[in-house]
Amino acid sequence: MRRFLIDTDTASDDAVAVLMALRAPDVKVEAITVVAGNVPLDQAVQNALYTVELCGQHTPVYAGLEKPILHELITAREVHGQDGMGDIGLDLSGRQAASGHAVDVLIDTICGSPGEITLVTLGPLTNVAVALLREPKLAEAVKQCVVMGGAYVLPGNITPLAEFNFYADPEAVQIVFESGMPLLLVGWEESMSAGFVDPDDSAKLLAIGTKYSEFTINIQGGVAAYLEEMVGMQGFDLPDPLAMAVALEPSIAEIVKRRVDVVVGDGIARGQTIVDTWGVTGQPANVEIAQNIPRSEFLRVLSQLLR
Ligand code: RIB
Ligand code: CA
């Protein structure tokens, strides 16, 4: 069994990514750590607990940081809905998180099994950055960290230059980028190509006819409405499920090593990821980037896990 730990700001795409890992036959999800992002922390915790229960699992869910390291919390409720799960009336309250702090769980789980845990991050990197500050050995203990974040081909989504997870807490990104942690990044550009689900794809996924496929489609209404209004697109993107598909089957992506830096602070370029494609900085590569993922491969991995 492969051992995963998922850090998430649980909203409509995160929940599908979590579901994919929970239903992958060769993966054990050791824990789910939650960070504020798409929705405030408490709601993200409840959304994660709901998803675990939907999958009939008992994976522990731990609350983490309720705001970025330096910046005020910004949410994406205008995209994912007030509850983060499409506002379709799901019962998203009253479930109990495990006791303990997400930062401690990240450290204890990963450092307790050096080289064995794949960390998949689906939200702002606040929890991971604080864990690295508390225990720098985390960087060498993790097997790999697959990150949904960044925009390596512009535009971004939250600004023309930046993707939401990295914009939300760019200082956390810098801490993670400088930690030496083995990072495989899945950017926003891939989400809008390989990770885009059009109405035909939705119909095929719904035709799978399970509660998992219905859940996957039914909670995406907010994202679909947002994309229709903003860019006139029909359908929705699934950035976190795409990152999870890469974590589950890295061979679906071309993977390149790059030097990437992030813009911190609060200026117009906040959260921008700057890729040294030609190596002109002379700086060593610090990340891997997944690119050119075939949409058919993403849909294959996703569909298999919804049956
Ligand atoms: O920019 C997309 C990312 O921001 C996804 O992880 C989505 O869930 C939001 O957190
Ligand atoms: Ca997310």
Side-chain angles (χ1 to χ4, degrees), residues 260-283:
V260 178
D261 288 286
V262 65
V263 177
V264 296
D266 209 5
I268 192 170
R270 167 179 164 180
Q272 181 179 8
T273 38
I274 300 173
V275 187
D276 181 7
T277 306
W278 287 8
V280 295
T281 66
Q283 295 288 323

Side-chain angles (χ1 to χ4, degrees), residues 96 100 120 130 145 154 160 167 197-198 202 214 256 271:
Q96 187 61 45
V120 184
V130 171
C145 182
L154 293 181
Y167 176 88
V197 178
D198 67 26
S202 287
E214 286 164 17
V256 293

Side-chain angles (χ1 to χ4, degrees), residues 150-161:
Y152 308 102
V153 176
L154 293 181
N157 53 8
I158 184 85
T159 75
L161 295 175

Side-chain angles (χ1 to χ4, degrees), residues 14-296:
D14 303 68
V16 176
V18 168
L19 180 155
M20 290 167 68
L22 291 174
R23 307 204 66 250
D26 63 337
V27 169
K28 179 175 189 288
V29 180
E30 298 288 346
I32 295 169
T33 54
V34 183
V35 65
N38 283 317
V39 291
L41 180 65
D42 292 346
Q43 186 66 65
V45 168
Q46 290 300 321
N47 294 349
L49 288 164
Y50 178 92
T51 306
V52 168
E53 186 178 301
L54 175 79
C55 294
Q57 305 276 344
H58 301 287
T59 309
V61 175
Y62 297 89
L65 277 299
E66 60 185 7
K67 69 173 289 293
I69 294 169
L70 292 182
H71 300 279
E72 289 311 306
L73 174 64
I74 53 165
T75 69
R77 287 186 285 196
E78 74 284 359
V79 178
H80 296 278
Q82 284 303 306
D83 66 13
M85 302 279 267
D87 292 338
I88 60 172
L90 297 178
D91 169 21
L92 299 168
S93 63
R95 292 175 178 81
Q96 187 61 45
S99 61
H101 195 283
V103 168
D104 294 330
V105 171
L106 282 161
I107 294 167
D108 296 344
T109 306
I110 293 170
C111 294
S113 300
E116 295 187 27
I117 308 289
T118 296
L119 173 60
V120 184
T121 72
L122 307 175
L125 291 176
T126 317
N127 285 344
V128 178
V130 171
L132 284 163
L133 293 175
R134 186 176 169 89
E135 179 45 88
K137 292 190 178 71
L138 184 70
E140 64 196 40
V142 73
K143 181 177 182 180
Q144 182 180 42
C145 182
V146 180
V147 177
M148 193 284 131
Y152 308 102
V153 176
L154 293 181
N157 53 8
I158 184 85
T159 75
L161 295 175
E163 174 277 326
F164 176 83
N165 287 338
F166 284 15
Y167 176 88
D169 197 342
E171 287 75 19
V173 177
Q174 184 168 17
I175 290 165
V176 173
F177 277 12
E178 292 180 355
S179 71
M181 188 178 265
L183 299 171
L184 174 53
L185 308 178
V186 182
W188 171 249
E189 68 285 350
E190 290 296 321
S191 157
M192 290 303 283
S193 50
F196 194 80
V197 178
D198 67 26
D200 288 347
D201 301 324
S202 287
K204 288 175 188 156
L205 291 171
L206 266 178
I208 293 172
T210 63
K211 63 178 180 178
Y212 309 114
S213 59
E214 286 164 17
F215 173 74
T216 292
I217 303 302
N218 291 350
I219 62 173
Q220 308 303 335
V223 177
Y226 180 81
L227 288 173
E228 162 74 26
E229 180 190 345
M230 294 298 281
V231 290
M233 293 178 80
Q234 302 296 318
F236 52 86
D237 65 297
L238 290 176
D240 295 339
L242 181 64
M244 186 59 74
V246 172
L248 292 167
E249 284 196 39
S251 62
I252 67 172
E254 283 176 28
I255 294 174
V256 293
K257 294 185 186 302
R258 290 285 186 270
R259 170 72 197 193
V260 178
D261 288 286
V262 65
V263 177
V264 296
D266 209 5
I268 192 170
R270 167 179 164 180
Q272 181 179 8
T273 38
I274 300 173
V275 187
D276 181 7
T277 306
W278 287 8
V280 295
T281 66
Q283 295 288 323
N286 56 345
V287 301
E288 291 183 323
I289 299 176
Q291 60 182 28
N292 299 328
I293 304 166
R295 211 156 71 88
S296 58

